[in-house]
Amino acid sequence: ADPGRGLPGRFALYAGRLSEEKGVRLLPAVARAIAPVPLLVAGGGPLEPWLRAQAGGNLELLGHLTDTALAAVRERASVVLVPSLFPETFGYAVAEAQLDARAVVASRVGALTELIEHEVSGLLVPPGDAAAWVAATQRALADPAAVRWGEAARERARVAFAPVAHVQGLVRIYEEAVRT
């Protein structure tokens, strides 16, 4: 079975823990603003009952997905949303979307600002600013440049996340530690 079968032609995606710090309380407002384009939500967590109560219309909860099923959904998404309110130490949701050449709208917070160059490899938005999130998501869905953001992000991610880059970085750290 194809996990991506039956997906809408265009949609926004949030994939992650359904919790306060991940910024999921913004999702219903964003969904209403981008209607009729669906906003699909993958994941589970403490805010799941609250979010389920808001669902309907174009806000659809997919629940927890296997890695394979999530990858099939993510690679078809028009835009991936990462509305974290608190600093992420890395941002796997961004990195995975970038490797799939997806346009990403993310909070301008923590390591997410190191993963995305605004208007080059995605859009950065002030965390928790509902109006800015709505505008950025609408733009990512409408702006033909969004395809280029995804492609630029994939090229950058392929270099930045390549195993050889990690090994070289570790070697530099060890060499510096030995010198001091």
Side-chain angles (χ1 to χ4, degrees):
D2 172 9
R5 211 178 82 239
L7 288 171
R10 294 177 71 230
F11 63 93
L13 173 67
Y14 169 86
R17 185 162 159 74
L18 303 182
S19 60
E20 199 70 48
E21 69 275 8
K22 296 295 186 180
V24 299
R25 289 199 190 269
L26 290 171
L27 298 178
V30 171
R32 285 190 299 273
I34 65 170
V37 175
L39 172 51
L40 306 185
V41 176
L47 288 183
E48 186 172 355
W50 176 83
L51 201 54
R52 278 205 186 280
Q54 314 294 313
N58 65 322
L59 179 63
E60 184 181 339
L61 272 67
L62 304 177
H64 178 78
L65 300 178
T66 64
D67 290 346
T68 304
L70 177 57
V73 173
R74 187 179 51 244
E75 71 185 15
R76 302 266 301 275
S78 303
V79 60
V80 174
L81 307 180
V82 185
S84 297
L85 296 175
F86 298 99
E88 299 280 353
T89 54
F90 176 67
Y92 284 99
V94 171
E96 290 170 339
Q98 289 178 327
L99 288 168
D100 284 339
R102 302 296 87 202
V104 176
V105 178
S107 292
R108 187 182 296 277
V109 64
L112 304 184
T113 61
E114 296 168 29
L115 295 172
I116 294 174
E117 186 178 352
H118 186 66
E119 295 182 333
V120 173
S121 57
L123 295 177
L124 290 169
V125 182
D129 183 335
W133 269 93
V134 163
T137 305
Q138 289 172 325
R139 179 175 172 197
L141 287 167
D143 193 333
V147 172
R148 288 197 307 277
W149 302 335
E151 290 165 356
R154 176 167 49 196
E155 288 315 303
R156 186 194 169 285
R158 280 184 175 158
V159 173
F161 309 146
V164 70
H166 286 284
V167 171
Q168 289 168 344
L170 284 172
V171 168
R172 279 194 302 275
I173 290 167
Y174 283 121
E175 287 172 343
E176 192 176 308
V178 168
R179 280 195 306 271
T180 55

